[in-house]
Amino acid sequence: MRIRTDFPRRVVVDDVWIPTRDGTRLHARIWRPVDAEVDPVPALLEYLPYRKDDWTAVRDAQRHPWYAGHGYASVRVDLRGSGSSEGVMVDEYTEVELADGVDVVHWLAEQPWCTGAVGMFGISWGGFNSLQIAALRPEPLKAVVTACSTDDRYDNDVHYIGGAVLGIDMPAWAGTMQAFTARPPDPAVVGERWREMWKERLDAAEPFLATWLSHQERDAYWCHGSVCQDYASVDAAVLAVGGWADPYRDTVLRLVENLPGPVRGIVGPWAHRYPDIELPPGPAIGFLQETLRWWDQWLKGRDTGIMDEPLLRVYLQDGVGPATAYPRREGRWVGVDAPPSTRRVIPLSGLGTSALAEPDGTVVVRTPQHTGVDAGRFFPFGNPSDLPPDQRAEDGRSVCFDSAPLAEPLPVLGRPAITLRMSCDVPRANVVARLCDVAPDGSSTLVSRGVLNLMKRHGRDRATPWPPDQVEDVRIDLTATGYVLPAGHRLRLAVSTTYWPWVWPHGEEATLRIDTAGSALRLPLCEDGAPDGQRVTFDGIVFDEPEQAAPLEHRPGTGGDGPERMVTHVVDTGEWTVAVDPNYGGTRVFPDGLHYTERARETYRIRADDPLSATASSEWHIDLSRGEWRASIHTVTEMTATYDDFVVETLLETSDSDGVVAKREWRHRIPRTSA
């Protein structure tokens, strides 16, 4: 990592209030060249609910001053009802949030230090709303850099996957946001009214989880903010960035294929992180320098050559043994000038199987409920226990189809898919597919996976029960990957009916019967001189080394008091428990004396023989203090289900130096319409 302090332009920092159309004010921090009012510059906006004064302060210091030093006004704004901004926050990506964002874009463009051109950037939430605000077409917004984001709020986010409820992140993220939205504004910013503003937030608090579970199909709620509903609405230039270890990587491929305006994509080996941050899996790249090429091209009108790059630059990872973290993934950068397309079709009947065929030639799949405990984290953040460990135990709980040892390396690039000709004995069921790299020693490395809620096989917008024992063809799309299976290894397809805690089980166990003769695996391959005319560039794709501004001077606080991830099994009851510390790293002591501490634990329990035993809980403790001032937040979110309903119980407790500020409890019962 190279730390820069010698920027072309000297930087000044201002904290300001930005008014919105209804008079609510958003708090912002602006880094800009000191002479920008004489020599105006374009503005770059990062717009988040995560608190610029503490939670993102370390990350903000790495990039905003860097952009300002290179001739931009780099602006960090807290969403309405978050950080020190006024108002309340009631959900993700609301119409109010997006309208506020449009107001901010126009306000920035009108400032005397701004040329009138604005760009937006962000990772995750900030990447989401950058695309969503671009779809509203505020005139000054000319370019976007969106990292680790989605164009599909329903089927490629923390709520649903393949039409199935995400057991691992739907309740956990709801619990996280319950705690995050309950944090008070900073008295050092808003003064004596901090407690009044905090009380307003607490009075407006409602559990997000109940809302999300009330929309189990793709309806108007999810279509709002999903750019995939109308790609043509985005005419800003978009640089889309993702990582093979991040759950949003498919979005990059969809955006470069569907956006009508200028677009380029980059996918590296990374987790849910900006690509200049040196955390596993690496290698990191000079991401700030690369984005500067994008901004200069579209906000300053300079030809930086970035549009001469291939449509997609992707990191093709070498095959490796299983590990929960890789400091560096070996591989190479390649460029492709069209989205990867599926070309090789492998019939399942041509693969060896771990299951005995039935008399009619079908293969039976009925897996225990704890299949999936070795799935790893849904959102890898670069932590030691993020990635899936050796998949041998998971493979043993699944039905596997293996190739012969490969005679030559197999470079997979894009989204694999499987088609299954199958029947099911119950109306509601899930099917899960995993693609693994099996080494000669038997170790199994997860390459890709996919999920399908069979109730959504005819469309995510409807619920279609399976007629018992009727045979149908279904397609399961797996997540995109860039991975080279080595010669001598086997390709394994593992199929299961369960995947806890990633996927919430339906209310009864299911048995699938697969006709292997009518089923196939479809692989997208990365080959030079491919028959469909796709050009692949194997040389000349290079990036600068990572570079950032000087780090924020702060002290890390004490970490969690237990393992980051622990799986336990009670043999006599058959109960399996996955306990997780999300380890977001927010515990710090800041230069202004603010002590910020967070402790969280997610717990997932299920019995191997009972889908209705599934329980997911998330508990948070957050403490803030400076001198005599203190504020504490404690939340508990627990989700269970009967055959007919989801049951959500939520607790919110807050206190300050004078005692309890609020205590609220909710209990919601939501009918299971299709999940």
Side-chain angles (χ1 to χ4, degrees):
M1 173 64 65
R2 184 169 59 217
I3 301 300
R4 282 288 302 272
T5 56
D6 56 333
F7 297 121
R9 298 180 72 168
R10 192 160 58 90
V11 176
V12 65
V13 185
D14 294 315
D15 281 5
V16 303
W17 293 96
I18 297 178
T20 62
R21 68 217 161 277
D22 64 359
T24 301
R25 298 184 306 163
L26 308 183
H27 200 251
R29 183 161 296 143
I30 302 174
W31 293 259
R32 61 179 175 84
V34 69
D35 60 346
E37 291 195 0
V38 176
D39 183 9
V41 296
L44 305 177
L45 170 62
E46 187 177 24
Y47 177 53
L48 295 170
Y50 298 139
R51 302 173 62 95
K52 62 178 173 24
D53 295 315
D54 43 63
W55 210 72
T56 68
V58 173
R59 188 179 83 190
D60 294 346
Q62 297 168 336
R63 57 206 65 252
H64 289 281
W66 193 97
Y67 284 137
H70 286 86
Y72 288 85
S74 197
V75 185
R76 173 69 177 82
V77 176
D78 285 337
L79 265 60
R80 178 187 296 239
S82 70
S84 294
S85 290
E86 297 173 346
V88 298
M89 180 179 170
V90 297
D91 201 352
E92 305 172 312
Y93 319 116
T94 62
E95 291 184 2
V96 170
E97 174 186 334
L98 302 187
D100 285 350
V102 170
D103 290 344
V104 172
V105 167
H106 284 292
W107 186 90
L108 293 174
E110 293 164 1
Q111 299 312 298
W113 39 258
C114 183
T115 61
V118 179
M120 282 191 73
F121 72 93
I123 182 171
S124 199
W125 196 305
F128 284 34
N129 63 25
S130 294
L131 286 173
Q132 294 165 8
I133 291 170
L136 298 176
R137 294 186 173 182
E139 194 279 332
L141 183 60
K142 308 299 184 185
V144 164
V145 174
T146 180
C148 299
S149 72
T150 191
D151 58 342
D152 185 347
R153 291 188 56 221
Y154 176 73
D155 218 27
N156 193 191
D157 199 0
V158 299
H159 316 97
Y160 297 87
I161 181 171
V165 167
L166 260 171
I168 197 169
D169 241 61
M170 171 88 91
W173 186 242
T176 299
M177 290 310 299
Q178 189 76 50
F180 279 14
T181 56
R183 295 174 296 187
D186 191 338
V189 176
V190 304
E192 292 299 322
R193 63 190 183 121
W194 76 270
R195 204 172 193 275
E196 176 188 346
M197 292 173 65
W198 192 21
K199 189 69 163 54
E200 181 186 18
R201 293 181 187 183
L202 298 175
D203 289 344
E206 291 291 336
F208 291 6
L209 182 53
T211 299
W212 299 340
L213 286 172
S214 298
H215 299 273
Q216 292 166 37
E217 294 78 44
R218 188 200 296 276
D219 57 13
Y221 175 84
W222 299 114
C223 290
H224 164 75
S226 290
V227 175
C228 64
Q229 295 296 123
D230 181 14
Y231 289 110
S233 65
V234 178
D235 56 12
V238 175
L239 176 62
V241 181
W244 293 130
D246 182 74
Y248 296 142
R249 55 195 181 270
D250 295 345
T251 293
V252 177
L253 304 188
R254 291 194 296 265
L255 290 177
V256 299
E257 181 176 12
N258 292 292
L259 288 181
V263 61
R264 288 294 184 270
I266 303 172
V267 185
W270 314 300
H272 197 67
R273 291 280 190 176
Y274 276 126
D276 54 299
I277 296 177
E278 293 183 314
L279 286 171
I285 64 168
F287 180 64
L288 291 177
Q289 300 97 300
E290 198 63 23
T291 59
L292 186 64
R293 295 176 66 201
W294 195 253
W295 302 131
D296 285 353
Q297 179 83 30
W298 300 109
L299 301 183
K300 292 185 176 180
R302 299 174 181 169
D303 185 358
T304 64
I306 198 163
M307 294 308 290
D308 298 328
E309 303 287 357
L311 183 69
L312 271 170
R313 285 171 286 171
V314 297
Y315 193 74
L316 199 57
Q317 305 168 111
D318 292 343
V320 292
T324 58
Y326 302 97
R328 178 185 176 90
R329 284 299 301 265
E330 296 301 323
R332 56 178 171 164
W333 286 99
V334 302
V336 295
D337 59 6
S341 57
T342 299
R343 287 190 298 276
R344 182 172 297 183
V345 179
I346 305 173
L348 264 57
S349 58
L351 301 174
T353 179
S354 62
L356 294 175
E358 295 289 287
D360 61 359
T362 59
V363 172
V364 174
V365 182
R366 181 186 178 95
T367 55
Q369 297 300 315
H370 66 287
T371 305
V373 295
D374 288 334
R377 184 171 184 164
F378 184 72
F379 273 114
F381 274 84
N383 292 330
S385 66
D386 277 356
L387 304 181
D390 195 325
Q391 296 290 286
R392 274 183 278 201
E394 297 282 44
D395 296 348
R397 292 185 278 264
S398 308
V399 172
C400 296
F401 301 89
D402 286 6
S403 73
L406 299 173
E408 57 186 24
L410 184 67
V412 180
L413 177 58
R415 294 197 72 181
I418 64 169
T419 53
L420 296 179
R421 181 162 295 162
M422 52 165 283
S423 66
C424 182
D425 66 341
V426 293
R428 306 190 309 193
N430 297 316
V431 58
V432 180
R434 291 179 295 112
L435 200 62
C436 296
D437 169 14
V438 181
D441 66 0
S443 60
S444 179
T445 302
L446 186 68
V447 176
S448 178
R449 55 192 151 193
V451 177
L452 177 63
N453 176 357
L454 293 177
M455 293 274 283
K456 308 289 179 61
R457 67 195 183 280
H458 297 315
R460 303 295 195 260
D461 60 343
R462 67 201 75 173
T464 308
W466 192 287
D469 298 321
Q470 177 172 304
V471 175
E472 293 188 31
D473 290 342
V474 299
R475 177 185 170 111
I476 305 157
D477 291 309
L478 281 63
T479 51
T481 189
Y483 189 100
V484 181
L485 281 82
H489 288 216
R490 296 176 186 267
L491 178 67
R492 171 171 291 166
L493 173 66
V495 180
S496 63
T497 54
T498 51
Y499 204 52
W500 176 260
W502 273 53
V503 175
W504 199 277
H506 286 285
E508 57 189 336
E509 295 185 283
T511 300
L512 311 182
R513 285 181 166 78
I514 298 174
D515 176 2
T516 59
S519 304
L521 168 65
R522 302 171 186 274
L523 290 179
L525 302 182
C526 178
E527 297 174 331
D528 202 7
D532 64 359
Q534 174 177 292
R535 179 175 60 87
V536 181
T537 303
F538 287 95
D539 298 304
I541 306 296
V542 295
F543 294 95
D544 291 338
E545 68 173 286
E547 185 174 292
Q548 294 173 354
L552 180 73
E553 294 182 2
H554 70 284
R555 301 197 313 273
T558 56
D561 55 3
E564 191 175 87
R565 185 179 186 88
M566 182 169 62
V567 179
T568 58
H569 177 210
V570 180
V571 177
D572 59 335
T573 65
E575 183 177 76
W576 290 76
T577 301
V578 180
V580 179
D581 176 356
N583 193 12
Y584 289 129
T587 297
R588 301 183 180 109
V589 181
F590 292 89
D592 66 352
L594 176 68
H595 290 241
Y596 182 100
T597 303
E598 61 183 32
R599 291 178 290 116
R601 202 70 178 165
E602 302 167 11
T603 307
Y604 307 93
R605 294 187 175 90
I606 201 164
R607 286 210 334 253
D609 62 350
D610 183 7
L612 295 179
S613 65
T615 302
S617 65
S618 169
E619 183 170 10
W620 276 82
H621 297 268
I622 297 177
D623 295 290
L624 302 95
S625 64
R626 183 192 293 112
E628 296 183 357
W629 174 76
R630 63 173 291 274
S632 296
I633 300 100
H634 174 222
T635 67
V636 180
T637 300
E638 183 173 271
M639 176 172 158
T640 58
T642 67
Y643 183 84
D644 296 312
D645 301 302
F646 288 109
V647 180
V648 178
E649 297 184 82
T650 310
L651 168 69
L652 169 62
E653 297 178 301
T654 59
S655 61
D656 65 7
S657 303
D658 296 327
V660 174
V661 175
K663 180 176 181 179
R664 300 187 64 187
E665 297 180 70
W666 296 265
R667 191 175 194 274
H668 292 91
R669 197 174 188 96
I670 302 112
R672 301 180 72 165
T673 58
S674 63

